């Protein structure tokens, strides 16, 4: 199953939607998927003009972010990065761009089917604005 990230903003990557207000956005809806009983794979496609520098997962409703899923890699404009072996679960996802702007997407279901997250300029701007209001 392919999932696009459109019409939300990003402060960088990742990940990435349990809050009712956020669940109404296209980005949230596109990141959510059907639960399946296996690990997941996600391809992050950066179609914005900013580099995505960091991507974190946390248990839903928690601010205890795990390690940077991108490691020492940045996902530059028009670049891609594939995450594999993501444990089947729901996550809050935080992305940080090269301007240190953050985007948090809540309650993202990752399980089973492969997904593609496309992030564009509008996605990042909207998500960053929403994240700053929280």
């Amino acid at each position: 199953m392919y999932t696009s990230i459109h019409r939300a903003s990003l402060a960088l990557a990742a990940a990435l939607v349990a809050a009712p207000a956020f669940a109404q956005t296209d980005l949230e809806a596109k990141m959510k998927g059907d639960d399946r009983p296996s690990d997941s794979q996600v391809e992050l496609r950066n179609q914005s003009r900013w580099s995505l520098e960091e991507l974190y997962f946390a248990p839903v409703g928690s601010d205890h972010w795990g390690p940077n899923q991108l490691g020492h890699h940045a996902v530059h404009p028009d670049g891609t990065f594939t995450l594999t072996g993501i444990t089947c679960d729901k996550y809050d996802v935080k992305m940080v761009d090269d301007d240190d702007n953050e985007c948090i997407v809540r309650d993202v279901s990752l399980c089973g089917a492969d997904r593609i997250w496309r992030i564009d300029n509008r996605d990042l701007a909207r998500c960053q604005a929403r994240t700053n209001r929280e």
Side-chain angles (χ1 to χ4, degrees):
M1 169 193 269
Y2 291 103
T3 304
S4 296
I5 301 178
H6 287 287
R7 296 197 173 130
S9 58
L10 167 73
L12 162 265
L16 273 128
V17 276
F22 197 76
Q24 297 173 9
T25 68
D26 288 346
L27 178 59
E28 295 168 337
K30 291 177 181 176
M31 289 179 77
K32 290 184 178 184
D34 297 329
D35 287 339
R36 309 242 173 130
S38 64
D39 289 346
S40 296
Q41 176 175 314
V42 174
E43 180 180 312
L44 180 62
R45 292 184 182 175
N46 185 4
Q47 298 174 334
S48 77
R49 64 180 181 209
W50 296 279
S51 290
L52 304 177
E53 302 288 333
E54 302 168 34
L55 176 69
Y56 302 95
F57 294 135
V60 172
S62 167
D63 286 331
H64 299 290
W65 300 103
N68 179 2
Q69 297 295 312
L70 300 178
H72 298 290
H73 303 284
V75 185
H76 299 289
D78 297 319
T80 63
F81 188 85
T82 302
L83 301 165
T84 60
I86 301 166
T87 303
C88 190
D89 208 342
K90 288 188 176 185
Y91 300 93
D92 288 347
V93 179
K94 176 169 70 171
M95 297 174 271
V96 181
D97 69 16
D98 53 358
D99 288 334
D100 287 329
N101 293 314
E102 294 184 358
C103 166
I104 297 175
V105 181
R106 305 235 181 247
D107 196 20
V108 177
S109 179
L110 293 177
C111 196
D114 296 353
R115 290 172 172 56
I116 294 177
W117 292 348
R118 290 178 184 89
I119 301 171
D120 63 22
N121 291 332
R122 189 179 346 192
D123 293 340
L124 291 178
R126 288 181 179 174
C127 183
Q128 289 169 356
R130 194 174 302 106
T131 297
N132 289 334
R133 286 193 304 261
E134 291 183 353

